Amino acid sequence: MTVRQVIDLARGRELRQLAVKDDITTLLGYYNMGVIELYKRFPLKVEEVIIELLDGQDIYTLPADFMWIVAAYGETTPSDSSSVNILPINEEDEPDSINTVGWNKVQIPLSIAGARVSIIYVSSPEYLTEENLTDIAEFPVQLLEALVHYIGFCGHVSQDGDAQKENNVHYQRFVASCELVRTMGMYNTDDVSMNKRIETRGFE
């Protein structure tokens, strides 16, 4: 399904009585905001960044598309019998914990052995413009209903204050649709382990 087809669904349903349905630029903005909301609730796109550790430096900047950390891995030492060195995240009592110290920065303890750390993170969606209307929508079809409800919510928010009740209805439908996907297990958010991937990146 293309981005335009998703927007057309919202135009024919949630937005059919609103004048904004004919403003493609505004609707694309609603689409972008809706996809961001889906990415906040589900790890729809997971990426990896390998950080080369520098002497005397413990703060590192993550890529621009970083949203939050899923997992972190360090290199194993010759004396370590384990195949993967899983590092804790944001655990104050753990000396080897990777800590988020800014929206796009992590603190990596100087005591961590090895020259590299692998950070697995949920990345943000690409911001789309009118040139992307024929692109394939980058989210699973089971979240289509939720996205259309969110576009409807944005459309009604743009109206006067008398539409407050309608705004709430569309937002509640969005939340309920996301929750249904989660409770029915239609999108797996629990297991995004990258253990095998570490081996392919040169970690031993």
Side-chain angles (χ1 to χ4, degrees), residues 3-65:
V3 174
R4 181 181 288 279
Q5 287 173 323
V6 175
I7 291 175
D8 285 344
L9 279 175
R11 293 172 68 183
R13 291 181 29 157
E14 279 70 13
L15 304 175
R16 64 182 180 277
Q17 296 179 336
L18 303 181
V20 73
K21 71 179 184 296
D22 298 319
D23 185 342
I24 193 64
T25 300
T26 298
L27 295 183
L28 191 55
Y30 296 165
Y31 174 94
N32 281 317
M33 290 300 297
V35 172
I36 289 173
E37 288 300 314
L38 293 180
Y39 273 61
K40 285 163 60 176
R41 288 164 171 77
F42 303 93
L44 298 181
K45 187 177 181 183
V46 178
E47 299 287 354
E48 177 186 30
V49 58
I50 302 294
I51 297 178
E52 300 286 341
L53 302 183
L54 303 176
D55 290 341
Q57 179 175 333
D58 65 343
I59 304 295
Y60 297 86
T61 301
L62 296 172
D65 63 351

Side-chain angles (χ1 to χ4, degrees), residues 67-137:
M67 291 182 72
W68 72 87
I69 298 177
V70 173
Y73 302 92
E75 294 187 271
T76 57
T77 61
S79 60
D80 191 349
S81 60
S82 62
S83 60
V84 177
N85 179 17
I86 301 174
L87 301 174
I89 301 169
N90 292 326
E91 295 185 14
E92 295 181 0
D93 297 332
E94 293 290 340
D96 287 342
S97 176
I98 305 296
N99 299 304
T100 52
V101 294
W103 69 269
N104 68 339
K105 296 184 184 300
V106 291
Q107 181 182 44
I108 300 177
L110 297 175
S111 59
I112 290 181
R116 295 174 296 174
V117 167
S118 168
I119 302 289
I120 309 300
Y121 67 95
V122 175
S123 67
S124 60
E126 178 185 355
Y127 182 84
L128 304 184
T129 67
E130 292 185 42
E131 295 179 355
N132 304 113
L133 286 172
T134 57
D135 291 359
I136 299 299

Side-chain angles (χ1 to χ4, degrees), residues 153-166:
F153 161 69
C154 289
H156 286 277
V157 164
S158 68
Q159 305 304 296
D160 58 47
D162 293 337
Q164 183 65 41
K165 181 177 179 180
E166 190 69 19

